[in-house]
Amino acid sequence: MSTSQRSLDLRTILLATGVVLTLAMGVRHGFGFWMQPISQDNGWSRETYSLAMALQNLLWGAFGPFAGMVADRWGTMRVVLAGAFAYMAGLVWMATVSDPFLFIAGSGVLIGLGLACTAFGAVSGIIGRAAPPEKRSWAFGISGAASSFGQFLLMPIEQTLISQAGWQNALYLLAAIVVFLMVPMAFRLREPVAPAATGHRQGIREALGEALGNRSFLLLVAGYFVCGFQLVFIGVHMPAYLRDKGVADPKVAVVALALIGLFNIFGSYWAGKLGGRLPKRYLLSFIYFARAAVITLFVALPLSPLSVYLFAAAMGVLWLSTVPLTNGIIAGVFGLSHMSMLAGVVFFSHQVGSFLGVWLGGYLFDLQGSYDVVWTISIGLGVLAGLANLPIDERALVRPQLKVA
């Protein structure tokens, strides 16, 4: 493949995956706005909706490695198409089902599957295969910035739809937007048939066994658990936390979540950019330590709209900046043949953390009437994740007997 062909393919792939990630992550980041209206209309406790969001995140992670396997073997296009329709069905389900058990189970499965097929893990392989090694970390940063732009763009849109059209109609409209925009982008992700490999080709079991037996991979898994715990707790519970603390104007929460998305555009981009020049493990450690410090200041200082906006801007820079660095380490250490699958395995840990973060937020609030314990857990986990990433070895594995991508 010539340089011009590679450049053209990379631009097309970044555009298509950017639209998909913008929608997938943008819609998902706004689910916190539906907590209070859905709970009030259905007579649920806050824990019920929190459990539904927790299950979505857990199943997103559980489906992720399998979506990655399919993307690596049969192409990203098929996976994104399936994800678009599952996502649409999940949003419609949330709008129509009032039984708490069915709401939790159905939205968990459908939205979880939709996100697994349209978010980072599923598209990381095709981005890694299209980008030359010297641009790979940068390309992952661009994809992270696209998802952040989705949060910035869709937060005010989702809040406006809820207030103007009602929470049910808002979900119907988002379902239509998802399917009508994602499907055309999926067809731009059709990959050419790869030439037959000569010599031994690493199988799925070998790739999994190699990764799970690698200390650096396990440290990435541990760090991503913390990332999920912190981000989803904040994203889902922030609007309710601000209202509980006397910040009654809902626009403050909208602006805060939009600021997270805005500043994460820059954070993700520069994390990917710096990841091509500096050791990625040190950058990851800095991000986790910085998150712990920012959260500590936020809960310790007096709360005001200004402090909320400063917190959101600081967390935005750190929000998804872990993604290009983590995916860059996976690609650099293990190669590209099973990139989507391995990214999905690491992301499963992220989603286990997400499940615990969002569920504990609701459970402990109902139990204690406060989010204080969960904030403290988030701070402690941030310090542990910062320490865990320091000893990661970023050198590529040497496999003399394998044909490495």
Side-chain angles (χ1 to χ4, degrees):
M1 181 179 291
S2 70
T3 303
S4 61
Q5 289 174 313
R6 181 186 294 276
S7 177
L8 177 63
D9 285 342
L10 180 59
R11 285 196 297 268
T12 301
I13 288 165
L14 287 177
L15 172 63
T17 57
V19 172
V20 170
L21 287 168
T22 293
L23 291 168
M25 300 300 290
V27 171
R28 172 253 180 186
H29 275 299
F31 282 156
F33 295 134
W34 276 269
M35 176 183 286
Q36 290 181 323
I38 288 180
S39 298
Q40 289 172 359
D41 282 4
N42 290 309
W44 298 340
S45 70
R46 201 171 290 184
E47 184 185 2
T48 300
Y49 187 85
S50 297
L51 186 58
M53 296 300 102
L55 185 61
Q56 286 180 13
N57 282 280
L58 183 64
L59 292 180
W60 175 9
F63 290 136
F66 300 100
M69 290 178 195
V70 175
D72 287 331
R73 185 162 185 179
W74 287 293
T76 306
M77 180 189 72
R78 292 179 174 86
V79 174
V80 173
L81 282 173
F85 287 105
Y87 211 139
M88 176 195 69
L91 292 170
V92 172
W93 187 277
M94 289 177 64
T96 56
V97 174
S98 59
D99 179 82
F101 175 78
L102 292 178
F103 181 89
I104 292 168
S107 65
V109 171
L110 292 169
I111 298 288
L113 178 61
L115 285 165
C117 294
T118 57
F120 297 113
V123 303
S124 61
I126 192 171
I127 294 171
R129 288 187 286 273
E134 67 276 9
K135 290 187 176 181
R136 194 170 292 148
S137 182
W138 169 82
F140 288 138
I142 291 292
S143 67
S147 69
S148 305
F149 176 72
Q151 183 176 353
F152 172 70
L153 175 68
L154 291 177
M155 290 300 96
I157 291 176
E158 290 175 53
Q159 180 63 40
T160 301
L161 288 176
I162 292 172
S163 62
Q164 297 296 322
W167 66 265
Q168 288 175 305
N169 289 331
L171 289 169
Y172 292 137
L173 289 169
L174 288 175
I177 291 170
V178 163
V179 76
F180 284 120
L181 291 182
M182 279 193 185
V183 168
M185 293 299 104
F187 286 105
R188 291 179 175 269
L189 300 176
R190 184 183 287 110
E191 297 183 67
V193 178
T198 58
H200 178 71
R201 182 177 178 85
Q202 190 181 42
I204 290 174
R205 286 188 178 182
E206 287 178 283
L208 278 174
E210 178 184 69
L212 294 176
N214 183 277
R215 180 171 175 262
S216 295
F217 186 81
L218 296 180
L219 291 174
L220 281 177
V221 167
Y224 239 30
F225 170 89
V226 175
C227 184
F229 186 99
Q230 294 172 328
L231 301 196
V232 179
F233 164 67
I234 293 171
V236 172
H237 289 281
M238 173 68 82
Y241 172 75
L242 296 179
R243 184 179 294 272
D244 294 339
K245 290 293 185 178
V247 183
D249 187 353
K251 292 181 180 178
V252 175
V254 175
V255 172
L257 293 175
L259 283 173
I260 289 174
L262 175 62
F263 279 85
N264 193 36
I265 295 172
F266 304 104
S268 294
Y269 176 81
W270 281 105
K273 191 83 169 176
L274 291 173
R277 303 175 184 177
L278 302 174
K280 298 176 183 65
R281 62 189 183 277
Y282 295 153
L283 294 171
L284 282 170
S285 292
F286 171 80
I287 290 167
Y288 288 117
F289 286 136
R291 281 189 193 173
V294 169
I295 293 172
T296 300
L297 289 173
F298 178 62
V299 298
L301 296 175
L303 190 66
S304 68
L306 177 60
S307 72
V308 173
Y309 298 151
L310 292 174
F311 170 74
M315 283 300 297
V317 173
L318 308 168
W319 194 255
L320 292 178
S321 51
T322 57
V323 174
L325 300 172
T326 300
N327 285 340
I329 291 175
I330 295 171
V333 174
F334 299 99
L336 300 174
S337 295
H338 299 283
M339 170 73 202
S340 293
M341 180 189 68
L342 294 180
V345 171
V346 175
F347 195 71
F348 178 56
S349 173
H350 184 284
Q351 295 312 98
V352 172
S354 299
F355 174 89
L356 289 176
V358 70
W359 173 72
L360 272 180
Y363 174 76
L364 290 177
F365 180 87
D366 287 343
L367 189 67
Q368 301 177 339
S370 170
Y371 288 111
D372 291 348
V373 173
V374 189
W375 285 119
T376 302
I377 293 172
S378 296
I379 294 166
L381 288 176
V383 174
L384 291 176
L387 294 172
N389 278 270
L390 287 173
I392 287 175
D393 186 352
E394 300 180 36
R395 292 174 296 181
L397 292 179
V398 178
R399 309 185 190 102
Q401 77 279 17
L402 297 180
K403 180 180 178 62
V404 182

